[in-house]
Amino acid sequence: MGRLSSLFTPERVAVIGATERPGSVGRALVENLQADFGGEIVPVNPNCETVCGLDCVDHVGETDADLAVVAVPAAVAVDVVREAGEAGIDDVVVITAGFGETGGEGADRERDLEAVAEEYDLNLVGPNCLGIISTPVGLNATFAPRSAPSGSVSFLSQSGAFVTAVLDWAADHGVGFKDVVSLGNKAVLDETDFVESWGDDEGTDVIVGYLESIEDGRRFVDVAGEVTRETPVVVVKSGRTEAGAQAASSHTGAMAGRDRAYEAGLRQAGVIRADTVQDLFDAARVLAGQPVPETDGVAVVTNAGGPGVMATDAVGDGPLSLAKFGNDTVSRLRDRLPEGANVYNPVDAIGDADNERLRAAVDTVLADDAVGSAVVIAAPTATLDFVQLAADVADLQADHGLPVTTCLMGGERAREADDTLVEAGIPNYFDPARAVGSLGTLERYRAIRERERREPTTYDVDREAAQAVLDRARERGTTRLGVEAMSLLDAYGIPTPAGEVVDSPVDALEVAEDVGEPVVMKIVSPDILHKSDIGGVKVGVDHADVYDAFEDLVARARNYQPDATILGVQVQEMVETESGVETIVGTNRDPQFGPLILFGLGGIFVEVMEDTAVRIAPLAEADAREMTEEIQAAPLLSGARGRDPVDRDAVAETLCRLSQLVTDFPEILELDVNPLVVRPDGAVAVDLRLTIEL
Amino acid sequence: MGRLSSLFTPERVAVIGATERPGSVGRALVENLQADFGGEIVPVNPNCETVCGLDCVDHVGETDADLAVVAVPAAVAVDVVREAGEAGIDDVVVITAGFGETGGEGADRERDLEAVAEEYDLNLVGPNCLGIISTPVGLNATFAPRSAPSGSVSFLSQSGAFVTAVLDWAADHGVGFKDVVSLGNKAVLDETDFVESWGDDEGTDVIVGYLESIEDGRRFVDVAGEVTRETPVVVVKSGRTEAGAQAASSHTGAMAGRDRAYEAGLRQAGVIRADTVQDLFDAARVLAGQPVPETDGVAVVTNAGGPGVMATDAVGDGPLSLAKFGNDTVSRLRDRLPEGANVYNPVDAIGDADNERLRAAVDTVLADDAVGSAVVIAAPTATLDFVQLAADVADLQADHGLPVTTCLMGGERAREADDTLVEAGIPNYFDPARAVGSLGTLERYRAIRERERREPTTYDVDREAAQAVLDRARERGTTRLGVEAMSLLDAYGIPTPAGEVVDSPVDALEVAEDVGEPVVMKIVSPDILHKSDIGGVKVGVDHADVYDAFEDLVARARNYQPDATILGVQVQEMVETESGVETIVGTNRDPQFGPLILFGLGGIFVEVMEDTAVRIAPLAEADAREMTEEIQAAPLLSGARGRDPVDRDAVAETLCRLSQLVTDFPEILELDVNPLVVRPDGAVAVDLRLTIEL
């Protein structure tokens, strides 16, 4: 059982604000508890003798309860919670609204509540929530009109209304719950706490959630990253689209953060992100009901060619592949199926198939080593009994121990078979694509569960040198830095071209003579962000032209912006780019997840094609490698169009070193290396821009 | 009524092969007809006196029927159809299997059947099909276990089993049918015939289909292109993925064709393509039940913030936008909703909303001019009655005449409201994303219905000159042509660089002196496809070097392939590419749809990023413009990254001229102009490859 298990296994529940007033929350809470709870229920209300037949006490301190459910008006709620804390109660659910979600006075009240919770070290759910449910002990500490059917899914939701909706719907749809939590304003306990706790809970097979924000993204990634190695976590994180993000933010008052960061964070945590409610519960059903496959090969068995084709199309849409049967399987199928049947995958037992024939076909394919899962599809025919088919499939699933979903295509007929399938945990859909999609979810989870454990890759770096660069900028009061800060990269072992920032033509020539001929010269000014646009970059400057180039660069900068601070001119080794690929490596800071690392190809690829890979820092080298592989333009790194492949390892190392840099220095808000030129034998950072916090 | 209306409105139906044998197709057909059909049913079977209480005749010629349904063994089916034709019956449904789908003898039999159908000008459905249904006359000429609920959706399917599945399912799911056809092997009547006929049928509001192939793609595009201006057409075309395409091809024996061609053809026809069965019937329900919106603004009204956010996310996924309410609407909502409610879109009437409040909110937003459609979302609460809400929404939908979908989030509660919603044609889903997605389908159809009518753009061209080029190649026995055929492009008004193919250094210099300095020189040989790979292209050749370059190119070609046919060396004006963008314009021939035109950016964009636009020829200029806009890299044509925009009109014109060329000359199997260099002031075809049929 998890850390918060006491919350879900109370022996005595105090309902503060209990009342008999019809339609009131206080009454609904008491009645819901009375319905099934095996422990004791103590109503607290100084104005009542009894509530719903239970003796009432005046104060929570008199209850000897281990869980306090608070449904008093907002104005007194904090005091009541304090009383509970004083009485030694550890677990508190605050139903009451009128806190942070209203702003102003409510926000102050929420801060008070947090302080009390901290003082007494409370496990506090809410405020502004529907409550909690735990089916094994019959605990329904919510004011929802209906409790949860029992099962092994634990469910958290940032929307209380969504909980009531799901509870009403779940009973009919084969989804059963262990614990349910309405998170409310998450003043104390948040999604990460419950994910962590349920990760240790034997009664929970699957964790599903509806979230509009994640409080502490970094902690969530760490915690969920561990939990998902044992227990699948599926969430809808709304605010995927710009419109949705705005709506979420106005609904919860929470800063929603950028979806790209959530996408990266959820992925790195091994959380399966569902886009819709349907996808969320399709995933929950199959993860709770079926085992995880051992291979990605799926067998399709059907009595109807068309739906078999639809299922095969859906296989192509997801992570599964159509299993290639062994010869034994093919010949066994040939023995068991009539002429005209297809004995290859998708197996078509044809329209006159009876139950025996379909059973034989399913049994045969499930015995094949190449088959990791199977979908059984049946159109209604005179020769086939769906109830019997459901029973057969349930048997065979149990015998072979492989995941199976079904697509019994019909209305009433299919419903008759439903009980058997629900009992066996076998999801059944009319649409072949959903049946296949469910198996795809299992396959995705297999990859998550089996993924290697990655520690951030770190290197020996010169942290003091980097600190010195940042300190100097701070002393100057500068927040925007450019090539003059290249030594930041040097300090973290990221190769840069030879060169220096100089403030006279004489020095420029001296540096040029050191670094070779020709050179690149760039104006260095915190006030000029787009150097190229004003002619502030000269490429291929011969030594003879260095003087003139220096003067010209300074003149152009002055001309463009007379009061610009000019730090000098950078004279730089000219990096050979012919054999290389220009890439961009960048980082910025997300309010929830901290530093994000971005990788893409230079120029149009990032700007026009928006072809980038993003991760939450810190990175392991394997993460960085994946980034170089997942962009659409990846073939350009591996030698497309007859070119030599470039050094992906050098890219991965640069990404990790950059990740280490921005992790070490939280004052770096944004940093772009553009371009990082990657050649067959290494990578070099040619230009740099960064923004720091003063 | 459509061209095939007689098929669906027979007065007397002959069932040839009728029998009383339990479980037989012949019996099922008679019983299904007996269930509801108002006309006469005549069983035909020389071995029976009566079938199911009906007097039997020996031959179809004795029946005086206007529809013959054939369920005799394959061996005699063609003879029976001939008899029907001789007896003057125009409409024939051949249920019998054992034709083309079995190959060999069956395929011969199918050719015989086609010949008979042609001889007697029969409207013949099948063979190897489930039959047909038409609900207005109670006609169920299928052997399906259940007929169709009546409605305004007409449904065609290349899978008979899928028809039985849908019939079983539809009754419970608010989908009603006008006509249903199982296409079978499509020996005579195919999808295009039914789409055309239903397009003229007043009883059909929506046409939906399941297809594994389209027989005549070009005709389908023309016919459906007209029909979809009045009647929405939605299809699942399976074989989207490679695995699916293989399965489809082995299922029907039909050549499935390439999905990219289907995608283009369906789009150009204005057909809405659904990926899954669920999407297909979601689309059918909403198109049959709700009007098309007049603007893309959608209003979301809810009593629950979370689901409102989910709906808003789904708005961002599709073609709709969140409507921006007028000030009047906002102030009216403020009057009608309590404090804490959100009066902007998505409207949150908050959890304690009763029916009156939600009704007022929905009424208010539907009156706003910016609102084209609305989705009403409700979580179950103590204050809200779902049945009443359904009735209110149905009323308001009818009053305002705007499309509405609902998301009454619950199980039993929602089911109770279902009848009212089904009656009103209002789709209701648990998942907000599906409710929003349905409105998105209406919006997509609005764009289809309102699209301009496009005629292929043609130009004055020199067809004879082009013919001469192809004739010369044919005389030489060459199927692969290169730059030596550039005059083909000249003949169709596509600009090419000045230049000629020459066979001596002296001529080379003469041409070079004409076209300017420097020049580009390329080896010309049908045996050398990748000239650059063997050093067969020289760029920037000065006049002084033309002799040497000529000799070197020939030597390289000889060295690479001693027996290569060398047609000469092309000496070409050097096209300035600095200010231009290299694009690729190509064409190839699809077995179903004829010539396809492809456009993309040169090099990596097509090869690595697979960023192309494809259309079926012939093109209108507007189609060609769209192609230049829909590629991901489109910003590179319109002046991304500080460059001058290039001449999109010239690209569009080139695409249309090429379309005209390949339409005029079906012997051109493949043709690529790579690159077509597009500059701010025009486009020029720099290189050419084509394959022709001898």
Side-chain angles (χ1 to χ4, degrees), chain B residues 359-372:
Chain B
R359 185 187 168 107
V362 174
D363 194 18
T364 305
V365 301
L366 285 176
D368 191 306
D369 284 345
V371 172

Side-chain angles (χ1 to χ4, degrees), chain A residues 94-119:
Chain A
V94 183
I95 306 287
T96 311
F99 286 81
E101 81 280 8
T102 64
E105 208 178 306
D108 295 342
R109 198 176 288 138
E110 187 153 323
R111 273 186 292 275
D112 295 344
L113 186 68
E114 283 171 44
V116 171
E118 184 156 17
E119 188 181 342

Side-chain angles (χ1 to χ4, degrees), chain B residues 42-119:
Chain B
V42 189
V44 180
N45 188 336
N47 305 318
C48 299
E49 288 293 309
T50 62
V51 171
C52 303
L54 298 169
D55 286 341
C56 217
V57 301
D58 289 356
H59 294 285
V60 62
E62 305 160 34
T63 57
D64 199 23
D66 45 4
L67 172 63
V69 181
V70 178
V72 297
V76 297
V78 176
D79 292 337
V80 163
V81 172
R82 181 186 300 280
E83 269 183 66
E86 274 171 7
I89 297 176
D90 291 334
D91 298 312
V92 179
V93 176
V94 183
I95 307 288
T96 312
F99 287 81
E101 81 280 7
T102 63
E105 207 179 309
D108 294 341
R109 198 176 287 138
E110 188 153 321
R111 272 186 294 275
D112 294 344
L113 186 68
E114 282 171 43
V116 172
E118 185 158 14
E119 186 182 343

Side-chain angles (χ1 to χ4, degrees), chain A residues 505-674:
Chain A
V506 177
D507 291 349
L509 184 57
E510 198 174 305
V511 174
E513 280 167 348
D514 276 357
V515 303
E517 186 169 29
V519 294
V520 178
M521 295 173 66
K522 300 174 190 169
I523 193 75
V524 180
S525 164
D527 302 320
I528 299 172
L529 286 181
H530 300 278
K531 297 186 286 283
S532 303
D533 296 355
I534 63 150
V537 179
K538 287 179 186 283
V539 175
V541 183
D542 287 333
H543 289 172
D545 300 326
V546 166
Y547 269 60
D548 287 350
F550 185 97
E551 302 293 0
D552 186 50
L553 287 170
V554 173
R556 280 169 187 270
R558 285 266 167 266
N559 189 36
Y560 168 69
Q561 194 178 326
D563 62 346
T565 304
I566 294 178
L567 300 177
V569 168
Q570 198 202 34
V571 181
Q572 207 181 42
E573 177 192 359
M574 191 148 146
V575 172
E576 183 266 311
T577 57
E578 265 299 281
S579 69
V581 175
E582 295 201 355
T583 66
I584 296 179
V585 165
T587 170
N588 58 43
R589 213 160 274 276
D590 181 81
Q592 268 77 36
F593 291 93
L596 304 183
I597 309 289
L598 173 145
F599 173 70
L601 258 56
I604 48 161
F605 291 94
V606 168
E607 289 175 30
V608 176
M609 312 292 274
E610 296 174 0
D611 179 23
T612 57
V614 172
R615 292 287 187 287
I616 310 288
L619 295 183
E621 210 182 311
D623 297 320
R625 277 299 296 212
E626 278 176 7
M627 293 175 74
T628 69
E629 285 155 12
E630 82 184 36
I631 55 170
Q632 229 187 321
L636 294 183
L637 300 173
S638 49
R641 295 171 61 75
R643 300 184 56 158
D644 287 331
V646 300
D647 191 346
R648 280 167 186 262
D649 291 339
V651 177
E653 186 175 327
T654 304
L655 287 165
C656 291
R657 287 180 180 272
L658 191 72
S659 154
Q660 190 174 355
L661 175 66
V662 297
T663 306
D664 287 350
F665 296 100
E667 61 265 50
I668 299 176
L669 301 180
E670 281 189 286
L671 185 155
D672 282 319
V673 174
N674 178 11

Side-chain angles (χ1 to χ4, degrees), chain A residues 161 168 172 210 212 238-241 251 276 278 304 306 309 313 317 410-411 415 431 434 604-605 607 636 641, chain B residues 161 168 172 210 212 238-241 276-278 304 306 309 313 317 410-411 415 431 434 604-605 607 636 641:
Chain A
D168 198 47
D172 298 346
Y210 169 70
E212 295 180 1
S238 66
R240 272 184 300 116
T241 64
H251 174 223
T276 64
Q278 174 171 303
V309 174
D313 254 339
D317 285 333
R415 270 201 309 285
D431 186 343
R434 279 176 79 184
I604 48 161
F605 291 94
E607 289 175 30
L636 294 183
R641 295 171 61 75
Chain B
D168 198 46
D172 297 347
Y210 168 70
E212 295 180 1
S238 66
R240 271 184 302 114
T241 64
T276 63
V277 172
Q278 175 170 302
V309 175
D313 256 340
D317 285 334
R415 270 201 310 283
D431 186 344
R434 278 176 79 184
I604 48 160
F605 291 93
E607 289 175 31
L636 294 182
R641 296 171 60 77

Side-chain angles (χ1 to χ4, degrees), chain A residues 228-287:
Chain A
T228 53
R229 292 180 187 281
E230 301 278 345
T231 309
V233 179
V234 192
V235 307
V236 165
K237 160 65 188 72
S238 66
R240 272 184 300 116
T241 64
E242 210 173 304
Q246 272 179 22
S249 147
S250 93
H251 174 223
T252 61
M255 169 107 181
R258 284 163 308 172
D259 196 66
R260 198 72 203 271
Y262 278 106
E263 189 71 36
L266 293 171
R267 174 188 168 149
Q268 279 169 265
V271 171
I272 295 174
R273 184 175 190 177
D275 281 348
T276 64
V277 171
Q278 174 171 303
D279 289 349
L280 184 67
F281 286 102
D282 281 2
R285 285 179 66 181
V286 77
L287 287 162

